[in-house]
Amino acid sequence: MKKTAVITGGAGFLGSHLADRLLQENCKVICIDNLITGNLDNIGHLFGNEDFSFIKHDITNFIHVMGPVDYILHFASPASPIDYLQLPIQTLKVGSLGTHKALGLAKEKNATFLLASTSEVYGDPLIHPQTESYWGNVNTVGPRGVYDEAKRFAESLTMAYNRYHNVKTRIARIFNTYGPRMRLNDGRALPAFISQALNNEPLTIFGDGSQTRSFCYVDDLVDGLVRLLFSDEVYPVNIGNPAEITIKQFAEEVIELTGTKSSITYMELPEDDPKVRQPDITRATEILGWSPKVDRKTGVLRTIDYFKNQLKH
Ligand code: NAD
């Protein structure tokens, strides 16, 4: 019999790619999403598929799903700084109440639960690269605290359900991921640079551009997530691409790859912006046999193509 996977946040960027992949893995997929930052266009191509269904629902309220469920992938949450700074209470609620409801469903159905956690649990890190054993450096009362602390709470709640209720749980600490279906205007550096370049506008760097990021292509990330889901690993696993680049170098790379005439402008660095970000993926490699395959140039070119198409509509 086919397995059934529930994806909270399934109409979002990552959730919709996971839906595609799990359908390919011969699962039935139920996406639950209130569309607060997601978009039905991301899953529009799946609506004719008899193994796919969509439920519009705010998962901070009780989640009811008919029939057996084997996997719950909990991806619902505003995820980009622009979103969670505009939706601070919703972000805290979905990380706490939403995670509670999703874990409750996992307990009821005896399903395996995978939490989409984040590298932001490391805050502005004091060790580099970041290993899972690092406890992080988060400002609880800063503007970004709403996201970081919601995810840290979600990790603790997940471990409590594992230890106290014996729910099979997995925690993925996801690092910056990019690819088709990102929103052009979600405020993250990568879509911002590409859309500015395609519109021949100056690329906006916050700070002096010496801060680093490590970008993972979405297909690689999804592969790591599925391997984690099917593994037995309970403790957090970093999933990301360790290829680190400064924001300034990345802006120059986007200028080169798009062939734009855009220049670069500099603006003030937002509060608590992490200065460095690079995953240590030793655990993912050892436990899951996973490492990213898509190099940045290939991934960025695919993403540029997607954004070019989006701009036509
Ligand atoms: P996204 O905004 O595209 O997707 C999130 C989805 O969750 C949206 O469709 C939104 O409508 C839905 N949602 C939010 N609150 C909800 C609620 N209360 N009830 C039901 N649905 C709700 O973001 P994304 O980039 O796809 O991120 C997905 C998950 O992965 C998030 O949990 C995010 O924290 C995590 N993550 C993403 C990245 C990344 O680089 N994209 C990095 C680390 C972690």
Side-chain angles (χ1 to χ4, degrees), residues 71-182:
Y71 308 116
I72 296 172
L73 298 104
H74 178 38
F75 278 67
S77 172
S80 78
I82 279 199
D83 289 339
Y84 61 71
L85 295 177
Q86 273 170 7
L87 302 164
I89 314 280
Q90 289 92 330
T91 303
L92 282 158
K93 280 180 73 177
V94 77
S96 53
L97 304 176
T99 304
H100 180 235
K101 301 295 178 287
L103 279 162
L105 183 66
K107 177 169 170 265
E108 177 201 332
K109 303 284 186 183
N110 194 21
T112 303
F113 175 91
L114 185 145
L115 172 69
S117 185
T118 168
S119 56
E120 301 301 324
V121 299
Y122 301 124
D124 190 4
L126 304 177
I127 69 151
H128 191 66
Q130 291 78 57
T131 51
E132 291 88 346
S133 55
Y134 178 51
W135 291 352
N137 178 37
V138 172
N139 177 3
T140 55
V141 294
R144 301 172 69 105
V146 296
Y147 181 68
D148 305 0
E149 290 299 338
K151 291 288 183 181
R152 290 167 66 95
F153 175 85
E155 286 196 6
S156 298
L157 193 62
T158 300
M159 289 308 297
Y161 266 69
N162 175 271
R163 292 187 177 117
Y164 189 73
H165 287 311
N166 291 317
V167 174
K168 289 165 278 177
T169 59
R170 316 280 176 258
I171 298 176
R173 289 194 180 146
I174 302 170
F175 282 66
N176 287 342
T177 302
Y178 70 99
R181 302 186 198 153
M182 281 189 105

Side-chain angles (χ1 to χ4, degrees), residues 8-15 32-39 57-60 74-79 83 94 116-119 147 151 174-178 183 188:
T8 75
F13 165 46
L14 298 183
I32 307 182
D33 202 300
N34 67 352
L35 303 178
I36 195 171
T37 59
N39 192 327
H57 178 67
D58 178 343
I59 60 133
T60 61
H74 178 38
F75 278 67
S77 172
D83 289 339
V94 77
S117 185
T118 168
S119 56
Y147 181 68
K151 291 288 183 181
I174 302 170
F175 282 66
N176 287 342
T177 302
Y178 70 99
R183 295 202 325 271
R188 293 185 245 216

